[in-house]
Each structure stands twice: as C-alpha cells, then as structure tokens.
Amino acid sequence: MSIERIQPGPRMSQAVIHGDTIYLAGQLGDPSADIAQQVRQSLAGVDKVLAEAGSDKSKILSVMIWLADMGDFDAMNTEYEAWLDKDNPPTRATGESRLATPDHLVEVIVVAAR
C-alpha cells in the first residue's frame, strides 16, 4: 500500500495518506488571536488540508482537540459545533496540554477517510 505525503516539510507533513486513511498534523490558529478565532482558524486548516487530500469533514473518523486551558472548553465547543457536519459526527476526545507556545490555545488533530 502506498504512502502519500501532503505538504512535507523538514519536521513533518501536513497530512499523510496510507490507503484510504488520512492522518492530519495538528492544526493551529494565529497565536495572537482569542480562543474562538484560534478554533475557527484551526478548523479552517483542517478543511484546507482535507480538501488537498481529496476529502472533507463529512469523512472525518476521529478528532483530538488539545486545549491549553480546559476553561476554554465551552468557547471551543461553540465554534466546533458550528463547524461540525452534524450528519456525520466523528469520535472526539478533548484534553488539556501545554501547546507549541504559551499563546497557542488550541490544536486540532484529525484522522479521516479519503
């Protein structure tokens, strides 16, 4: 089975496709933005990479969301639920973690079908 890499860089690829499964790198927003904007930007990044890989959010299998502060859970959910394909909800887990910089508030990691 072949492996295809989307936007490969020196540390990582934005996505790796193996068979009909697409693994996305964590998507981040602008660290100067607030939580709502960072969530929207992260999810827009998911949409963009999935489109490049020949997929879309209706084919997402699982989502992992890391928040720098679980106090942002409700604000994140407001943006996530507005974006979500409600006819095709994936599995999801959310946790709290220190992210790439102190100003990054959310990171979204997705696995999808092609």
Side-chain angles (χ1 to χ4, degrees):
M1 202 174 289
S2 69
I3 297 174
E4 179 184 348
R5 298 179 195 285
I6 304 233
Q7 299 179 35
R11 283 191 199 116
M12 61 183 221
S13 296
Q14 283 299 307
V16 174
I17 303 169
H18 182 249
D20 287 326
T21 306
I22 306 164
Y23 303 88
L24 270 64
Q27 299 298 302
L28 298 165
D30 178 350
S32 68
D34 66 19
I35 184 64
Q37 292 170 312
Q38 285 194 36
V39 172
R40 286 191 301 271
Q41 293 166 352
S42 297
L43 296 173
V46 167
D47 286 334
K48 180 181 175 187
V49 176
L50 284 176
E52 191 171 342
S55 189
D56 61 60
K57 66 183 166 188
S58 74
K59 297 177 184 173
I60 294 175
L61 304 172
S62 67
V63 178
M64 169 62 76
I65 299 173
W66 290 113
L67 292 170
D69 181 349
M70 285 303 284
D72 288 333
F73 187 75
D74 290 339
M76 177 276 298
N77 270 330
T78 297
E79 301 302 324
Y80 177 84
E81 289 168 6
W83 169 83
L84 181 67
D85 180 339
K86 293 180 183 30
D87 292 331
N88 298 289
T91 65
R92 190 186 102 175
T94 304
E96 183 177 84
S97 179
R98 196 172 326 165
L99 300 178
T101 74
D103 296 326
H104 282 103
L105 305 176
V106 62
E107 184 169 1
V108 179
I109 304 163
V110 167
V111 177
R114 191 171 346 206

